[in-house]
Each structure stands twice: as C-alpha cells, then as structure tokens.
Amino acid sequence: VALFTRYTLQNTSDYPLLCTASGQKPLPAFEIGKDNINLPPQNGCILPSMSMSSWFTKSNKLRISLHDEKGSEAFIDLEALSGFTEFFLEIHDDIFPHRMAAFGMSLQPVIYGLHVSSQVVLIVPRYVISNESATAVAVRQCLVQDDIDGLTIEAKQRGTLQTWKPGKKREGNYFDLFLKKHKNVSEDSLIFIQFCPKETGYGWSGPICVSSIGRFFMKFRRSEDMVIDGINKDTLQDGKLKQFASVDVVQENTSFVLHFTKPPKVALPYRVENCLNKASIMYFQKDSDESDMLGPQESEQYAWDDSSLPRKLVVRIVDTPALREIKIDKISPWKPFLKMRSRLNLDFSFSNGLSSEKQGFDDSFELRVFKIGYEVYADGLTRVLRICEQAENPKAEKIQRPIAHAQFRISYMCIHLLDKGQSDEMLQSPSTILMATFQRVSADSVITDRHKNMDVAVYSVNVDEKWDGASFGSVFRMNKLQGDALNENILRIVCVLNSSNSSVKQVHYCSIILQQPIDLKVDEETLMKLVPFWRTSLAPAGTPSTQFYFRQFEVHPIKIIASFRPGRSQTSYSSSQEALRALLHSVIKVPEISNSVVELNGVLLNHALVTFRELFLKCAQHYSWYVLRAIYVTKGSSLLPPSFASMFDDSASSVLDVFFDPSDGSLNLPGLTIGMFKFISKNMKSGGTKRYLGDLGKTVKTASSNALFAAITEVSDSVVKGAETNGLNGMVTGFHRGMLRLAMEPSVLGQAIMEGGPDRKIKLDHSPGLDELYIEGYLQAMLDVMYKQEYLRVRVIDDLVFLKNLPPNSALINEIVENVKGFLVSKALLKGDASTVRSWRRLRNEPEWKIAPTVLTLCEHLFVSFAVRLLHREATKAIAEVTTKVKGQLTGGEDEGKSSSGGGALVKRSRLWTVGRFAASGVVAYVDGRLCRHIPNPIARRIVSGFLLSFIDRRDDE
C-alpha cells in the first residue's frame, strides 16, 4: 500500500527553510532552534538543504522563512500556483545593505506507475553560476559589492549567487516616468553582476543582467600597473593584455543558470578590420575610458567593455583629426569616414604636437583621406567593421536586376487535418479533426535592383472542429464583437529584403500584424488528438539554421478572447498525451476558462542578427510567459510567473516589449498619424530592452487627449470670457491671454500628460463615520459617469474628501468641486443650501469636450458684436444729422440773446440733461425687456438688446 500526501516539499537550495501554515501562530523559539530539524506534522516542517518532506497540514497556504537566520517571510498559495513562481527572503542582520535569498518554486508531478493526485513543490535557488572554464572566477554584484572580492567559484563547479538588496534604481527618461504604471514591476530591482578571473592583474568585466536570457560576451583587461612592471610589447601581440569570455544565461526549471566559459567556444560578436596600408586606427566604446589600437592590414575580435554604455564604437585614424562614431550593430554599405561637415572643418596641418611623419604619410594622404570609409557586414553571426578605401572595397556589390512584379490571389482555400490514428481500412472514409478555411488570400511581390518587397494579406481565417463529440464548433476565428473594421484583413505580413549575395539574409523590414482580436476556443480532447502531429523540426538533424539580419522586425500585439474546457483521462492515451495532460493539470493547473481576454505583448527588434531557429524559440518563450501570466490573472492569483529582463539583448541593439490594441494600432493626433511602435521607439533614448505591461496605446491616447483638452479649454475659456465682456477686442485679448497662460504655465499641459491635473481637498463639517466607503464609492461612481476622466480619484478619510488627478482646466475643476459639495450638502456632511447648488452640466454619454459648440459660440459672439456695432454706428450717424439740422434752425435767431445769458443757465441745463438721460435709460431698459420677451430667436434677441443698451453704456472715450 502506497500513501501519498497532496503535496511534497523539496528544497534543493543552500538555505534551510521553515514551512508553516500561513494562518498558524509563530512557533516558540525553543521549538524551531537551529539544532532542531523535526517538527510535529500539524505544525509544518523544516526543510534542510537537499531534503524532502511531506506536507500534512490541511491548509494550502505556505508561510516560508529562513530556519537559522532572521529575515522576512513569503506567503505562497499552492492552489493559486500555476507552474512556476519566484519569491525573495530578506536577511535581517548587521550587514548593510541587507542580503537577499532568491528562490524559484515550481510544481512537479509525482513519478509513479499509476496516476496519483499528488504533486512535488520544488524549491530551487533562483540564480546559479556554473563555471565551465579551467580556472577559478570571482563574481560580485554591481553597485553593491564594488569594494568586495565577491564569491569565488572553482573550475568546473557550480555555486548559488548571493544577492544583495539593490540600493540604486534603474534610471529612466521622462517617457519612462510617464509610463511608470506600465513598467515591469521588477525592472527597478534588476540584478547586475561582474566577473573577474582569478589571475594576477586582471580587472572586472562589464555588468551582466542575471535575468537576461541569451549569450553575452565580456572582456577582461590587465591593469596598467602590471604592464609597467615587466610585460614587454610582445605580450600585446600575443593578446595577453585582454581576455574574452562568454556567459550563457539559460532558464532551467525556475533557475537562471549562468554558464561561464573562458575562452569562448564560439566566435565573438564583432570584428574590426583595418585595411589601410599605412595608417593605424584607435577605437573605443563611447563613454568608455579603455581604448585599443590596430595597425595597418590587421584585424582583431571585439566585445563591448560595458554593455550598459551606448553601443557605439568611436574610431579615429591615428595622428589625424579624423573621428567617427559608428553603430556596428547596424549592417550598412560603404560610407565615407568623414561627414560633410567634418570635411569642411578638417585641418591637415597636423599641428598640436602631431606629425604625419610618425606613420610615414606621404603628401597624397591628405587627399586620400577623403576616400577612406567604412562598412559593416555580417560574417555568420559576427558583425565586421571594415575600415578601407573606396577603391579597395571588395565587399561592395553592384547588383543590377530587372524589375519584376508578381501577384497571387486565392479566393477560397480549405485544409483538412485527418485523424492520424486511423487504420488503413478506415482511410477510405477518413475522419476530420480540424478544418481550416482561408478566404481572400493575396500576395504581392515587387523586385527591384535593391529590394524585394512582399505583402501577404489574409481576409479571413476560420478553424473549426469536425470530430464527433467536439466541445466547441469553432477553434479560431475573428471576434465579431470587438472587431471594429470588418473590411480589414485579419492577418498581414509585410517583408522587405535587401538584394544581396551574402550568406546572411538581410531583411530591411518585417512586420507581422494580427489586425483584429480573435476568439480562441480549445478543449483538452482536441489537444490530445493533435499530440501525434507534433515534431520538433521538419529539417534533417544537423541542418544549420538560416541566418537573418533584421534591420527592423516587429510582431504586433495580439488580443485573444480565450476559452478552455478541461477533459478526463483515458486509458488509450499514449505517453506523450499523458505528459501533456500532467502538464495541464499537475504543473500549470489550467482552470476552465470562458471568454477571458488575453493580451500578448508585441515585439520590436532593431538591428538583430539571429538564426531562424533562435528567433522562433525566443518568440515562443516570450509568448508562453504572457500566456502563463494570463492564466494567473484568470485564476485571480496574486502570484506571477518568474519574470525575465529580456530575451533579445544578446542579438539586437534595442528591444521594445509592449501592448496596444491591435485593432487600433496607429496613434492618431491632430495633424499626426504614426504607428504606435514607431512613436514609442522614438522616445527610447537608450538601447536595451523596454518592457511595458497593460494597454499602453490607451494611456498614450488618453494623455494626448488630456493635453489637447487642456490647451483648447484654457484658450477657449479665455476667448469666450473676453468676447462676453468686450466684444471683438475682448475675444482677441482673451485668445492672447489663453496662449500666454499656456506659455507661462507649462504645468497645465504637464499635469494633463502625467495622468491628470491638480488635487483638491474639501473639509467636512460632519464626519461620515461608518459611511466613509459608501460616500467614497458614490462620489467616485458619480464623477466617472459625469466626466469620464480615467484618472480622477476620490478618497474620504475622516472629515476630509480628497479629489486627486483633476482635469487640467480651472473651470471644469470648479464645476467638479461644486457638484461634490452639492452631494455632501444633500447628505448633511457639509453646511449649505442644496437648492443653490449649481446644476450639473455634463450628463451621461457626453464626451469630455466638444470643439463644435465652442466654435459656434465664438461665431455667435462675433456676429452679435459686429451687428451691434454696425447698428450703433449707423444710428449714431442718423441721430447726429438730425441733431445738426435742428440746432441749425434754432440757433439762427438766438445767437444775439445767448450772449447775454449767464453761467447759471449752463449749470441748470447740465443737471436737466443728466436727469433726463437717467429717465431715458430706464425707459430704454424697460422697452428692451418687453421687446426681447416677444423675440423667439436668441441671436436676434441678443442683437436687439445689445443695440438698445449700447446707448446707455458710458464709453471711456466719451
């Protein structure tokens, strides 16, 4: 009789661990002492290094801590664990910064003759160093152990990397700061290490990220003191002043294993060739203090001194001012070494202590320097920088090919996948497992003398289940609910190849776009029927993979609405099918999924030199991580699969790992429409990998909408206020004031871009008490419905209401605050009269702002102001003419009598005119009120009212 517990814990790390139930009280110190390795089963278990123990406790939630050292604790829910995860324990001691113990955890099925519902919880060290060279090597963590010798690993041995809590965060630009909520949560805690051979005089290498999967090369230089102490110049020719090594970072189970090899077993990634006859060159990495010299007609292999510095090589022709920065990751044809600006400013006097006689330059070298150039080509997986003259350039290719154009169209195509397990007798009426239909498949190809352009588009792809008893009718098809553009193709592949005779195929541009969200419905029984068709490769064993250079390679993000239905085990399953079933149920534990949204990040590679097999495997591993992450999210687990920093840093100059809605892949701004990939890559100031989680396109468009909203509303509010107060002149003045405010206060746009505007605080007269959550939730829902501001947040704490990330507009802020105060007054939390609260202006389903009403209002103000001014001017002219005629008739016979009148008559007349004008203004106002009541048109009513009231207003010029 064999008895199994549901879980068996296995510890293969160097640390003894204490595992107890998460809800259990801490055990007494005497019970978990260092010498005690046995615990009662109901209390948990102590796992020494390289040991196993059964888990007898009913609880599935573990609390893991170090047994013999004080430190933090980790809580793991075994039911929520799907496949793999990682956790860290901080060691609390007197050493600062604190040490960190990193672990990886995975579920393994129990290997037994029969299927048993038991699993092995395997705990392994997260980072492992494997020294595969013939000498010992020292390892230390960057920015933490700069003054420490580090960990020594002997030849042909393995060791667990001891990490320290990072004290410095990774620097980022303003674009990264803006997208900080989408950044990978572990990006700021990436661990970089350095290597140093245990040989006299060699220094430390450049930093290597322990979670970047790939092959990286490093360089060790002998210190200058050792060179001065007795090493002759012949040592330089023997290559003893520097050594090279490679580090292969691979993921084994949940551990990152760094295989250190010195010297490397493969060619270095770069080679520098100096094909000049008489001139030597000096080259160094940009911002690096180390340089190398290369004589005429010599070549040398090269690797970066520091991968964190810019990946640019600065090359200078010795004893000349000729200097050039070269991106050697970028394959390029022959180019002049000197740019046009450098040619105009070049001085060939060789003053400042330099003499052309040092290298034996003749007089013609000053002219031949204009013919010196460089090219970068691929020799296998090695990029070669060649410095040569144009006439001696054997790699230059002059390809003359005729121009051709080809078109290929398929209106309908159907593929049936037949059951492989059927016998020969049944092949007359075979059974179909899946049927794939393709509609409107088009392929266009244009060949020129430099490029081969290909464009493949598929309008519709449907994969249906056809075997008896299938759970789903369709496996793969476009999602009709979220597919916006029904006339667009579901799949498009664009590829531009350079015409070259090189063994490395050069791809100028390659883009794979799944333009619409898709429905993916899979059941377990269908997967089991597909297992017999699986094989690793169709090529014969040992066939080398095709090598590609991608100037730009992009796979756009994929949005999937996924469903999965598990099945039952059958006795007819083969060993491969049982292995797949164990992976689904015992390791990953995939639940039943119904219409769950899965977002797979896209990949953008620049200047990547890879083989087809390597590219395919890395993309598969990349997407498998996001699929596993989606399973965690679907299960509602707080855990995440063990993350990685990058998979392409070893083969590409820059990598972008990002998601945006594939059905709306362009960024649309006023006067600007560019691809989302291009927009984000333009804001990446440095190379390396940038990873963003979540819908980045929505955030960028929301921020641009907020910025545009802030600019238009600030300007339009000022224009409308000016037009209302002073007509056309006020409108112009208001426009100037709005633009001046945007110029003088750039924080208005800055706050709009950085997810909202300022904050406001309202102090309550009465505390809500137990109704805090109700008041907070109601206010949040009310503002979300009314204003549609994504980042607007409400918090209620005691007697304070906090409004955070308000929209960047003063008028809208005041309106939001008034509406919140009105609700608080209605709930008797704030003193005031609810009847005086300003009515809500924004209703449900109204957009955030409308440009058409704003323009219409401005036009109305302009028309009314122009009409009032015109009528007032014509009326003034008419009144003046009538007044002049009347005065002419009256003054003819009264000039003699007026000469004798006194000053008292003038004062009396002035008083009478003032009283009369006051009475007349009252009559005009009354007439205006009575008249406007009977005018239905609001614009005509405003014109009549403005015209009448213009005679009452006292102007400054009068």
Side-chain angles (χ1 to χ4, degrees), residues 87-143:
F87 64 94
F88 299 87
L89 298 178
E90 184 177 349
I91 301 175
H92 297 161
D93 50 18
D94 297 334
I95 303 176
F96 186 82
H98 291 159
R99 292 177 294 158
M100 299 288 293
F103 301 91
M105 177 181 288
S106 63
L107 293 178
Q108 304 289 335
V110 174
I111 302 177
Y112 194 67
L114 300 176
H115 174 72
V116 294
S117 59
S118 179
Q119 296 171 316
V120 176
V121 181
L122 181 61
I123 302 175
V124 299
R126 182 65 172 147
Y127 308 113
V128 178
I129 308 296
S130 177
N131 183 11
E132 300 177 2
S133 61
T135 58
V137 64
V139 184
R140 72 179 184 185
Q141 185 174 341
C142 297
L143 304 177

Side-chain angles (χ1 to χ4, degrees), residues 353-373:
L354 299 178
S355 175
S356 61
E357 298 178 358
K358 293 183 181 181
Q359 299 195 60
F361 294 148
D362 52 17
D363 296 337
S364 64
F365 181 77
E366 298 181 3
L367 299 177
R368 295 206 326 269
V369 72
F370 292 107
K371 296 183 179 181
I372 296 177

